[in-house]
């Protein structure tokens, strides 16, 4: 069975110059799509990516990352909407490149699908009441 998950990788400074992602391809036959990256020499690196492949290979790849010292989080744990702050103005709907936000025409309510979200941060800047938060 093929799995595909959006994950956040935190690389300690000692690992940022190692070919960790290329090992996922070569050793575990996984595919990846980098959604966001911030990697500086000798500092913690952050990589938001979609990782996919056969379930068994995916599990082995995740174990490799963990054993190497990379911290892994699900992307959906990091993108949050504060429902109390959201005014359903729709500013996020027009700015989101992945259509993670949808406006229900009848109720005039905005829904957020964090499975579509790539944590680009555009909604944070566009949101007047500051209802969107990304935690890495």
């Amino acid at each position: 069975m093929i799995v595909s998950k959006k994950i956040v990788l935190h690389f300690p400074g000692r690992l940022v110059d190692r070919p960790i992602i290329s090992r996922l391809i070569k050793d575990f036959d996984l595919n990846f799509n980098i959604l966001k990256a911030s990697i500086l020499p000798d500092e913690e690196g952050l990589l938001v990516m979609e990782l996919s492949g056969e379930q068994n290979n995916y599990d082995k790849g995740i174990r490799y990352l963990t054993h190497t010292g990379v911290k892994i989080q699900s992307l959906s744990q990091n993108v949050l909407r504060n429902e109390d702050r959201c005014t359903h103005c729709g500013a996020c709907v027009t700015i989101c490149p992945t259509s993670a936000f949808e406006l229900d025409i009848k109720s005039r309510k905005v829904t957020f699908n964090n499975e579509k979200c790539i944590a680009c941060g555009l909604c944070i800047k566009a949101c007047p009441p500051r209802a969107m938060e990304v935690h890495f």
Side-chain angles (χ1 to χ4, degrees):
M1 174 171 71
I2 301 289
V3 296
S4 180
K5 297 182 181 178
K6 293 177 184 169
I7 57 176
V8 180
L9 306 179
H10 297 269
F11 294 84
R14 64 183 171 77
L15 297 178
V16 296
D17 62 345
R18 294 182 51 198
I20 293 171
I21 301 304
S22 66
R23 295 267 324 265
L24 291 175
I25 300 163
K26 293 168 82 176
D27 297 350
F28 305 104
D29 194 31
L30 296 173
N31 295 310
F32 71 95
N33 181 22
I34 295 175
L35 305 172
K36 188 173 186 175
S38 174
I39 301 171
L40 300 170
D42 300 321
E43 293 185 26
E44 182 181 69
L46 174 84
L47 183 64
V48 180
M49 66 188 300
E50 184 170 10
L51 189 62
S52 61
E54 291 288 334
Q55 180 72 58
N56 188 39
N57 291 344
Y58 180 89
D59 293 341
K60 288 177 183 176
I62 294 297
R63 280 193 299 272
Y64 159 72
L65 290 171
T66 303
H67 178 73
T68 304
V70 176
K71 293 179 186 166
I72 305 164
Q73 291 178 289
S74 169
L75 178 62
S76 63
Q77 295 173 349
N78 293 294
V79 180
L80 306 169
R81 179 170 73 173
N82 183 325
E83 297 297 333
D84 293 333
R85 282 187 167 184
C86 182
T87 61
H88 300 277
C89 68
C92 54
V93 175
T94 59
I95 198 78
C96 183
T98 63
S99 300
F101 298 93
E102 293 181 16
L103 178 64
D104 182 298
I105 301 300
K106 290 181 183 178
S107 69
R108 303 296 299 161
K109 299 282 184 182
V110 175
T111 58
F112 172 58
N113 181 346
N114 64 356
E115 292 296 318
K116 290 183 177 181
C117 179
I118 61 170
C120 66
L122 292 175
C123 61
I124 293 170
K125 296 173 186 167
C127 184
R130 300 293 180 236
M132 294 305 298
E133 301 172 356
V134 178
H135 300 275
F136 290 119

